[in-house]
Amino acid sequence: MCSAYYLIRQGHEVIVIDQSDMKSGASHVNAGYITPSHIIPLSSPGIITKGLKWMFNSASPFYVKPRLDSDFLKWSWAFKKSATQEKVEKAIPIIKEINLLSRDLYEDLKASNEFDFHYERNGLLMLCQTEKALANEWVVGKRSLEAGLSAIRLSAEETKKYEPNIDLNVEGAVYYDCDAHMTPSIFMKNMVDFLSKKGVVFYTNEEVIDIAVSNELIQSIRTENRSISADEYVLATGAWSSHFAKKVGLKIPIQAGKGYRINVDRDTGISTPAILVEAKVAVTPMNGFTRFAGTMEIGGINHKINPKRVNTIADAAENYYKNLSILKEEKSKAACGLRPCSPDGLPFIGKSNKCKNLTIAAGHAMMGWSLGPATGKLVSEIISEQKTSMHIDAFHPDRTFK
Ligand SMILES: Cc1cc2nc3c(=O)[nH]c(=O)nc-3n(C[C@H](O)[C@H](O)[C@H](O)COP(=O)(O)OP(=O)(O)OC[C@H]3O[C@@H](n4cnc5c(N)ncnc54)[C@H](O)[C@@H]3O)c2cc1C
């Protein structure tokens, strides 16, 4: 959507094709965090050991389903290769820069009043129940300070000031004031309405099933209903992108990372977005409801809901917020979405050398909501052959993982 937005601002005519009704999936169920504080990619030292430990626990927050599938095996190898301190240190300034760019663009969008959406700059609490987790979290906090972000370590008593209306069961927290939060479905709906009014054509519930390529150029794409030719194409197919890229001869390693959300449409008293550190659950006070989101399940493309994981998210929330009770009915309405996970935690943004009129915008993993506007802006600059708002070499779709 953000690519379409910035492309029409550059004067391009845009057609959006989506196999869904554009009312569900990752861009609707996410926790709505805008996360400059998330400077450490998922593929970081220690994650492999944790993943192996959690693999045999069907309620764990991070789960990798072992499969004899060559794409999955190659992705796993590239993920392992990326999980080094050296690579994480290299990624930190890049992740920070694109996050700050994107947050600024969200604030410009909000200020433009072109369409309405919920956006609040209220920071993020990393809530910890144990001294060990708090100490570990503060190591990340100090690294964020070094990177120029602000981070504060809070005692249990100090944390209460950020959540005056609900009893917390925590040892303390790390607070980042650089973060913001939104209600994704409001933004998505109002953005689609705005783009439609501006002349963007939407073909929804239409799957792109074939791509005609010759001379390293896409000549046309085909859905069940039509064939479409354009000067330039943008591949923004989230978790489905690997499969799709293959049709044009590209290898874009992306695996689906399933996550769940539970909405509580009552006043919970929660006012500051938080991550429940030990449980890896995200809590967001959205517009009129509170969302609890979590789990990273690398298990292929499917939308099956595992009730054990939903219950684990709810139990964790009830454990950190003493008076909170999530109803059975609320849990039964849980929904899921697929994060498009790249092996190194950086998205793929740019053109492959193998296809001259295709720009990739995929693989944003846990930060795809945050990075929407920056990605859209970069895509529009690439297509309009302008200087990009930041260096994009690190996002190159042809990069290798050694
Ligand atoms: C539970 C959860 C919590 C999250 N929390 C956050 C958060 O707080 N902050 C954050 O920044 N990120 C968060 N994320 C991650 C974020 O939601 C994703 O990275 C982002 O939504 C991905 O956007 P996308 O446009 O790349 O993919 P998607 O939103 O998945 O869109 C891809 C679209 O491509 C369409 N498509 C695929 N194949 C075809 C085809 N052949 N033809 C036509 N259409 C096709 C699909 O229908 C889909 O609509 C979270 C994700 C989850 C699941």
Side-chain angles (χ1 to χ4, degrees):
M1 288 304 92
C2 289
S3 296
Y5 173 83
Y6 288 103
L7 283 165
I8 59 160
R9 280 189 44 172
Q10 303 255 14
H12 298 280
E13 285 174 28
V14 179
I15 299 174
V16 175
I17 308 157
D18 201 301
Q19 67 188 7
S20 76
D21 59 3
M22 299 186 70
K23 289 183 183 142
S24 59
S27 295
H28 297 263
V29 304
N30 69 75
Y33 292 156
I34 312 302
T35 53
S37 67
H38 284 37
I39 52 171
I40 313 279
L42 179 66
S43 43
S44 55
I47 189 71
I48 306 286
T49 322
K50 262 190 212 159
L52 287 172
K53 201 174 87 193
W54 279 334
M55 218 151 167
F56 303 100
N57 176 358
S58 60
S60 64
F62 178 57
Y63 173 70
V64 183
K65 184 177 174 193
R67 281 164 289 146
L68 279 175
D69 164 84
S70 73
D71 285 347
F72 166 73
L73 294 172
K74 280 182 200 150
W75 181 92
S76 303
W77 182 249
F79 183 89
K80 184 178 177 295
K81 287 277 163 195
S82 306
T84 67
Q85 198 53 42
E86 193 195 342
K87 295 206 172 134
V88 168
E89 282 301 323
K90 241 175 125 180
I92 285 175
I94 302 160
I95 296 179
K96 186 190 104 177
E97 188 180 357
I98 189 168
N99 261 289
L100 290 174
L101 169 67
S102 215
R103 189 196 64 192
D104 290 350
L105 291 170
Y106 266 125
E107 293 186 357
D108 291 349
L109 273 171
K110 183 76 186 156
S112 77
N113 277 325
E114 285 175 317
F115 58 95
D116 191 30
F117 60 92
H118 167 227
Y119 177 95
E120 271 180 76
R121 179 84 177 268
N122 208 4
L124 177 73
L125 284 169
M126 303 295 292
L127 294 178
C128 301
Q129 289 191 316
T130 58
E131 191 48 54
K132 190 174 165 214
L134 188 55
N136 287 342
E137 218 35 60
W138 186 232
V139 173
V140 182
K142 283 193 284 192
R143 185 63 192 84
S144 303
L145 286 172
E146 273 170 39
L149 300 166
S150 86
I152 317 171
R153 183 177 172 152
L154 303 171
S155 65
E157 202 50 38
E158 288 163 336
T159 309
K160 273 187 194 165
K161 289 182 203 145
Y162 292 83
E163 275 307 356
N165 303 319
I166 187 157
D167 263 352
L168 292 171
N169 177 20
V170 298
E171 182 69 31
V174 175
Y175 176 73
Y176 293 93
D177 76 356
C178 48
D179 287 13
H181 68 282
M182 301 173 59
T183 305
S185 48
I186 300 182
F187 180 87
M188 289 298 281
K189 183 185 177 308
N190 292 350
M191 174 68 115
V192 171
D193 291 349
F194 173 79
L195 292 176
S196 302
K197 279 190 204 128
K198 291 283 172 192
V200 173
V201 174
F202 284 87
Y203 295 130
T204 54
N205 297 308
E206 268 192 55
E207 183 187 354
V208 176
I209 45 178
D210 207 5
I211 308 180
V213 190
S214 67
N215 301 326
E216 297 181 340
L217 283 170
I218 296 181
Q219 305 296 335
S220 64
I221 57 174
R222 192 165 59 79
T223 73
E224 299 96 329
N225 303 337
R226 67 197 91 233
S227 170
I228 297 169
S229 291
D231 302 318
E232 293 284 337
Y233 299 82
V234 180
L235 181 90
T237 43
W240 292 261
S241 301
S242 254
H243 163 75
F244 210 82
K246 271 190 197 161
K247 290 185 193 263
V248 269
L250 309 185
K251 288 181 190 147
I252 307 283
I254 291 180
Q255 286 289 315
K258 196 197 291 173
Y260 300 92
R261 70 100 178 102
I262 306 169
N263 286 347
V264 172
D265 291 312
R266 295 168 282 125
D267 183 13
T268 54
I270 298 169
S271 55
T272 306
I275 289 186
L276 315 181
V277 170
E278 290 89 344
K280 310 232 171 305
V281 167
V283 184
T284 321
M286 293 197 176
N287 201 19
F289 62 96
T290 307
R291 173 164 292 177
F292 301 88
T295 294
M296 173 66 93
E297 220 179 298
I298 311 273
I301 302 245
N302 71 74
H303 287 86
K304 272 182 238 142
I305 305 256
N306 176 346
K308 270 195 190 163
R309 290 192 204 278
V310 175
N311 287 335
T312 308
I313 293 171
D315 291 348
E318 289 171 355
N319 190 274
Y320 281 68
Y321 299 98
K322 282 188 197 158
N323 305 327
L324 176 76
S325 162
I326 300 183
L327 307 176
K328 207 172 158 193
E329 197 198 336
E330 288 160 342
K331 288 183 249 185
S332 72
K333 289 185 189 157
C336 69
L338 303 175
R339 301 177 188 90
C341 299
S342 67
D344 58 1
L346 297 178
F348 297 99
I349 307 171
K351 285 193 175 187
S352 160
N353 296 328
K354 294 179 192 137
C355 189
K356 292 176 192 130
N357 61 348
L358 177 68
T359 304
I360 317 284
H364 297 70
M366 304 187 298
M367 293 182 295
W369 186 260
S370 299
L371 302 186
T375 303
K377 184 127 204 301
L378 292 169
V379 164
S380 73
E381 290 164 346
I382 293 163
I383 289 179
S384 303
E385 296 182 344
Q386 292 173 347
K387 187 174 183 290
T388 49
S389 299
M390 65 177 284
H391 287 298
I392 55 168
D393 293 353
F395 308 136
H396 204 292
D398 295 338
R399 68 183 183 270
T400 50
F401 304 90
K402 286 183 188 145

